[in-house]
Amino acid sequence: MAPTPPALDSLTAAQRYTSGRRVTCLICGKKFKAVGRHVWRAHGISAREYKIQFGLPVSRGLLSADARESQSINARLARAASDKKKTPPGGRPRRADEPPRPSFPHIDRRTSSDDVRRVLIWVAKGDTLSEACKRPGMPKWNGVHIALGRDADLRQEFDRLVECLPFGQQVRMNKLGARFNTALADLDGTTNTEAARRLGVGFETVRRMREKYKMTPESLRHWQSEMGYKYDSAAAALGVSVVTYANWVAGATRIPYMIGVTCAALLNDLGARSKSPSED
């Protein structure tokens, strides 16, 4: 192997090194169009290590002038071929003998109440809303959602139907409501596994709902403060005696599940009233 030459001492010398038709390997003296692959295969060092060792700019490729010119020509040809495939801004120009494109009148494609009721028939048979909308001939889910938000009577009809569905189907639709909370409150004191078996839902559903509406003495005091109640008004709002309420706050007795549901409903109602515009 030839002795290793010293590193290039200036930027001009580094530029001159790659300005010819071939690039000389500074380790073995052989000449190539591109040295990077050679130094890796023959000498076991990367192109970056080679540049650092001999003082070459790291950002500059180890290509000869001919190789760089060839790459530039190929890149220009590739861009030109790609530009030819692109559709012009105005679209494809029409030929002189081509007939004009037809203009279609506006068609109202809004989902009607009859379309929504056809979906609700499948929901009553056991489908979720999204499953019913995927059936042939049914409207899309987003159209049904918009129609339910547009028609208050139709929305009430949908809510009444959902409230009567089996709890398992309500879980699949993420629509557990007051009937489920009442049934779960009747099973207060049972294990999550037993309550899930009786209600026909999963263990995780019962655990999640009980955790969501779980009330501790601290959370009950926080609810009372948020509502602006005193002991007597808080007890009246929950429909219990002052003594019972005081025992809950003191932690003397366990707070039932339904009390957590009621507190959440009252707090949500307070938030809705505060956001609504005041009437003169």
Side-chain angles (χ1 to χ4, degrees), residues 77-100:
L77 292 175
R79 283 198 300 270
S82 176
D83 291 341
K84 287 183 179 179
K85 295 180 181 179
K86 292 180 179 178
T87 305
R92 181 182 62 82
R94 267 201 323 274
R95 299 189 304 270
D97 58 342
E98 186 177 356

Side-chain angles (χ1 to χ4, degrees), residues 258-273:
M258 203 60 190
I259 294 301
V261 176
T262 306
C263 289
L266 291 173
L267 198 59
N268 290 337
D269 185 55
L270 177 65
R273 289 201 306 269

Side-chain angles (χ1 to χ4, degrees), residues 179-241:
R179 188 167 63 93
F180 177 83
N181 287 326
T182 302
L184 187 56
D186 293 338
L187 298 175
D188 212 7
T190 61
T191 64
N192 292 342
T193 303
E194 179 64 18
R197 185 185 65 80
R198 294 189 186 183
L199 296 175
V201 298
F203 166 86
E204 186 61 27
T205 299
V206 175
R207 187 202 64 78
R208 177 171 50 84
M209 293 298 289
R210 282 179 168 173
E211 189 66 27
K212 177 180 179 181
Y213 294 114
K214 180 181 179 181
M215 292 294 287
T216 62
E218 292 77 13
S219 58
L220 189 60
R221 282 194 291 268
H222 177 73
W223 169 82
Q224 177 183 333
S225 174
E226 289 287 323
M227 297 295 297
Y229 287 154
K230 296 182 179 180
Y231 262 49
D232 54 350
S233 56
L238 297 177
V240 297
S241 66

